[in-house]
Amino acid sequence: MAELAALEDPKAREVNQRHGDDHGVNLGKLRAIAKRLRTQQELACQLWQTGDTAARLLAILVCRPKAFERDELDGMLREARTPKVHDWLVNNVVKKNPHAEELRLAWSADPDPVVASAGWALTTERVARRPEGLDLAALLDVIEAEMRDAPDRLQWAMNNCLAQIGIEHPEHRARAIDIGERLAVLKDYPTSPGCTSPYAPTWITEMVRRRQDS
């Protein structure tokens, strides 16, 4: 904790706070600490219990993802209110845990939109890597009905799922693009030069073009 405190950079904190993250530690330096520490599950649990955002990010990097029980991960996600901790927990821990599918189903139906967004993130992973057993048409039905009015984090996660369905599954591509065009979610999202817009029709079209060109 003392080492993390010494890395605190007010300018980094200012930038991070614009995105809802309350820490000022450079992520490259944080990863360097994790590389030195290697996997330490007990330490990871202690770091998480501090409630400090930088400590929790480090905990995610040094933990053993498969060691957590289902209810532990459920509790951790509900405590992970900052976007970076939430995203890292889902992507670096939950996706590698044997309870991921059970949690995906539970979280997707959760009334808390931030928790539900984690369920959609896990669904997007399934869409791209293991779509067997998913009802993609039903997912598109839900996205079509709910994405436009969903809170920001949930809307973003649904939009990612919409784009992945369109990119990975040609039979659903036309409908995915049509839904994106009609809902116009993230159509005006500011995008840096050289980056792909998160607006689903543009994103789908660009990724399909790249694959065809490669």
Side-chain angles (χ1 to χ4, degrees):
M1 292 303 292
E3 191 170 349
L4 289 173
L7 292 174
E8 175 74 21
D9 179 348
K11 290 183 180 178
R13 177 176 284 272
E14 184 180 342
V15 171
N16 289 332
Q17 283 180 330
R18 290 183 208 144
H19 304 287
D21 292 309
D22 56 349
H23 76 93
V25 178
N26 176 280
L27 295 181
K29 293 178 180 177
L30 194 75
R31 289 187 177 94
I33 295 174
K35 188 175 181 180
R36 187 187 79 225
L37 293 172
R38 300 185 180 180
T39 302
Q40 295 192 46
Q41 180 66 10
E42 185 178 349
L43 175 61
C45 292
Q46 292 172 337
L47 288 168
W48 184 271
Q49 290 300 324
T50 67
D52 178 81
T53 293
R56 285 186 163 180
L57 291 172
L58 182 59
I60 290 166
L61 294 176
V62 302
C63 76
R64 188 175 293 108
K66 294 180 180 179
F68 293 103
E69 296 298 329
R70 179 209 180 280
D71 290 347
E72 281 184 287
L73 289 176
D74 183 68
M76 290 167 73
L77 185 88
R78 293 173 192 279
E79 293 174 1
R81 304 313 289 182
T82 64
K84 186 66 72 177
V85 172
H86 180 277
D87 291 344
W88 279 24
L89 182 66
V90 172
N91 289 303
N92 296 333
V93 181
V94 181
K95 285 181 180 179
K96 301 173 184 177
N97 184 275
H99 301 289
E101 179 61 14
E102 186 183 350
L103 290 167
R104 180 185 78 82
L105 294 170
W107 289 344
S108 295
D110 199 278
D112 183 331
V114 176
V115 175
S117 74
W120 278 93
L122 293 172
T123 299
T124 301
E125 173 86 353
R126 285 275 319 266
V127 166
R129 298 180 183 275
R130 294 181 294 105
E132 301 79 13
L134 287 179
D135 187 339
L136 298 178
L139 287 174
L140 289 174
D141 289 343
V142 175
I143 291 168
E144 186 172 19
E146 300 179 11
M147 183 172 74
R148 178 184 284 160
D149 298 320
D152 288 351
R153 299 266 289 278
L154 179 55
Q155 184 186 72
W156 186 273
M158 284 183 164
N159 184 71
N160 284 354
C161 191
L162 174 65
Q164 285 303 315
I165 291 173
I167 292 164
E168 301 291 345
H169 301 280
E171 69 277 19
H172 295 285
R173 187 169 296 149
R175 186 183 175 201
I177 290 173
D178 178 63
I179 290 170
E181 288 175 343
R182 283 187 290 106
L183 299 186
V185 168
L186 301 175
K187 185 173 184 178
D188 300 320
Y189 191 84
T191 306
S192 303
C195 295
T196 304
S197 170
Y199 175 53
T202 302
W203 187 358
I204 294 167
T205 303
E206 175 62 17
M207 294 308 296
V208 171
R209 183 193 66 76
R210 289 184 193 178
R211 290 184 180 185
Q212 290 171 342
D213 291 348
S214 62

